[in-house]
Amino acid sequence: MPTLLLTGFEPFAGDTVNPSGDAVRAVAERWTGSDRLITEVLPVTFDGAIARMAALLDEHRPDVVLATGLAGGRTAVTPERIAVNLADARIPDNVGHRPQDAAVVEGGPAAYFATLPVKAISAALGAAGIPSTLSHTAGTFVCNATMYAALHATEGTATRAGFIHLPWAEGTGPDGAPSLPIETIRDALEIAARVALASEDDVAAAGGELS
Ligand code: PCA
């Protein structure tokens, strides 16, 4: 039975909500079918999130890892293509840790590409009427570090891993911030999970960005 690990994050930066954690809990409530779903809401701390991700990978040996987090300001559901080996925090994490110019994994490669079928996921979201574009930076905070740690740990294995950044859920972000209904974010994660479980290979499609 294929196993999917789906994670979100707790609130951070003084906020009281994080749509990623809420959506992950909502996906778990509705999950059906034979694929095994493991969900977890991770702490927004560099050390805690990386350690918890490693422990979950060890314990559950998932076939697919889909980590998610909030990127307030984004207008769409954005699968991330790249995680970089850089922790450089503009704000403290939830235990006050604020690394600067640090490696996520000392001695690790500069970056990893997501091993999830990111274009297939984005296309499936678009087909379902959910705004989605690929992102080429997950930032240098806890989300990027968690994605990097998952890809580092699963490198060379059959496990596919990646990350999706989400906009605010409607009614929860700062005034004027772009948002989607929480139900849409929940549906987006369920669609992404099903596509990731079903497709080992990505689709061929034009992508990328002009700078
Ligand atoms: N977003 C932050 C950390 C937790 C979250 O949901 C980030 O993008 O790094």
Side-chain angles (χ1 to χ4, degrees), residues 79 81 116-125 132 134 136 195 202-208:
R81 283 188 110 169
L116 293 184
V118 288
K119 287 186 173 176
I121 290 171
S122 198
L125 293 174
S132 176
L134 294 187
H136 295 87
V195 171
D202 209 347
V203 296

Side-chain angles (χ1 to χ4, degrees), residues 125-207:
L125 293 174
I130 299 172
S132 176
T133 53
L134 294 187
S135 165
H136 295 87
T137 174
T140 57
F141 194 51
V142 176
C143 288
N144 169 74
T146 304
M147 179 180 175
Y148 187 94
L151 287 165
H152 187 72
T154 56
E155 203 211 358
T157 74
T159 299
R160 305 189 290 284
F163 196 98
I164 296 185
H165 261 126
L166 305 164
W168 282 108
E170 235 166 57
T172 62
D175 282 351
S179 64
L180 290 172
I182 186 69
E183 295 79 13
T184 304
I185 295 176
R186 172 203 65 200
D187 291 351
L189 295 192
E190 181 163 354
I191 290 167
R194 303 275 184 206
V195 171
L197 280 163
S199 349
E200 281 183 25
D201 300 318
D202 209 347
V203 296

